[in-house]
Amino acid sequence: MSGVPVGITALGLMPFSVGAKENEEQKKRLKIVVVGAHPDDPETGCGGTMLLYAREGHEVVSTYLTRGEAGIHGESYEEAALTRSNESVEACKILNARAEFLGQIDGSCEITKNRYVEMYDFLKEESPDIVFTHWPIDSHRDHRICSILVYDAWLNLNKRFELYYFEVETGGQTQNFSPSNFIDISPIIEKKHAACFCHVSQKMEVVFRDYHGPMEKFRRMQANYDYAEAFIKHDQSFSKII
Ligand SMILES: [Zn+2]
């Protein structure tokens, strides 16, 4: 994966940089922005990769399109938003990431002219080197909307950052996902799980048992790592870093 710092190795591609000349490049502090629809999407989809970037000294921003308003049975939208925002903030402490919330409503995400502008303005202001977001073929409407908003911003920002797609609950949610890149997250797997398990309201033990656990096992077989996260890189996403 181009743009990947030393310590993160992608299958089939060179690590971020090798050799004396590139040592200067290694010192560049990258900004990584992850955009997910709900609290827990960035953590479960690429929490391991976020941890690896943060460990290398890069800035990591975990962005949530919504606050998970519809995600706790028996709680009002306001109550659930507070609970789930706090869970994300706790997870971000473990991930060494900054949490950002974009103000859409769980289950009612919109694609409108104003929402396109909102995402464009957010990503323009953040000025990331690399962005991770949902793969657009997904059974959850909010995930699809999130992906399209980020994609549109990427186009209108002249593809200035590298764009990668992550998977969540593949089979049930993400579909038709054939990874181009795998990241070895074995060194930080326990920390990733700890961040995911901050989402107590989402019964994360069950979600991991039924979805993310099997997904991790499948990807680790493909990648021949103990634990792997898988991504699809947009094929017009060219590195401006190396
Ligand atoms: Zn979600």
Side-chain angles (χ1 to χ4, degrees):
M1 179 188 284
S2 52
V4 172
V6 170
I8 301 180
T9 306
L11 281 186
L13 291 166
M14 292 295 289
F16 177 46
S17 57
V18 289
K21 184 168 179 281
E22 290 81 0
N23 281 343
E24 287 306 307
E25 290 295 329
Q26 287 179 20
K27 292 174 187 165
K28 174 176 163 53
R29 188 169 190 243
L30 302 176
K31 183 185 272 193
I32 315 303
V33 173
V34 182
V35 189
H38 311 106
D40 80 8
D41 287 326
E43 295 90 325
T44 53
C46 58
T49 302
M50 294 164 79
L51 275 163
L52 288 169
Y53 276 112
R55 194 175 73 171
E56 297 289 335
H58 301 295
E59 182 179 357
V60 180
V61 181
S62 189
T63 312
Y64 307 91
L65 207 57
T66 77
R67 292 177 181 267
E69 290 84 352
I72 304 179
H73 185 68
E75 284 197 9
S76 69
Y77 273 29
E78 291 74 18
E79 290 168 336
L82 182 61
T83 300
R84 298 196 64 191
S85 301
N86 287 338
E87 289 172 348
S88 279
V89 168
E90 288 306 307
C92 283
K93 286 180 188 169
I94 295 173
L95 294 173
N96 294 315
R98 164 165 54 92
E100 292 286 345
F101 298 90
L102 290 184
Q104 294 234 31
I105 301 298
D106 182 8
S108 302
C109 288
E110 311 166 326
I111 295 185
T112 64
K113 191 175 177 187
N114 286 345
R115 293 300 188 182
Y116 279 130
V117 171
E118 179 181 66
M119 184 63 76
Y120 173 89
D121 286 346
F122 172 72
L123 289 173
K124 186 179 181 200
E125 175 72 22
E126 289 288 347
S127 191
D129 298 287
I130 302 172
V131 172
F132 295 90
T133 192
H134 291 276
W135 175 243
I137 304 175
D138 189 296
S139 63
H140 200 305
R141 187 180 289 168
D142 291 348
H143 295 174
R144 298 198 296 272
I145 290 170
C146 182
S147 185
I148 295 304
L149 290 174
V150 172
Y151 171 69
D152 189 81
W154 177 72
L155 289 177
N156 285 292
L157 287 165
N158 297 317
K159 307 172 185 174
R160 71 172 65 164
F161 52 80
E162 292 183 52
L163 178 60
Y164 291 87
Y165 297 99
F166 60 76
E167 57 179 340
V168 288
E169 299 188 17
T170 288
Q173 294 188 334
T174 299
Q175 298 165 5
N176 279 36
F177 192 86
S178 185
S180 58
N181 297 76
F182 296 88
I183 297 294
D184 179 6
I185 59 166
S186 312
I188 42 69
I189 190 66
E190 287 176 10
K191 228 173 167 185
K192 176 195 172 176
H193 288 176
C196 293
F197 285 14
C198 288
H199 294 278
V200 176
S201 70
Q202 301 306 294
K203 300 182 174 58
M204 199 52 76
E205 316 77 41
V206 177
V207 174
F208 252 79
R209 184 197 65 203
D210 293 347
Y211 296 103
H212 291 286
M215 209 167 82
E216 281 178 346
K217 285 176 184 165
F218 183 60
R219 296 306 181 202
R220 76 189 191 194
M221 282 193 294
Q222 287 184 304
N224 201 25
Y225 296 140
D226 287 340
Y227 291 93
E229 285 176 347
F231 301 95
I232 293 176
K233 181 178 184 179
H234 194 294
D235 69 2
Q236 293 179 20
S237 184
F238 302 114
S239 173
K240 315 232 178 3
I241 299 163
I242 57 173

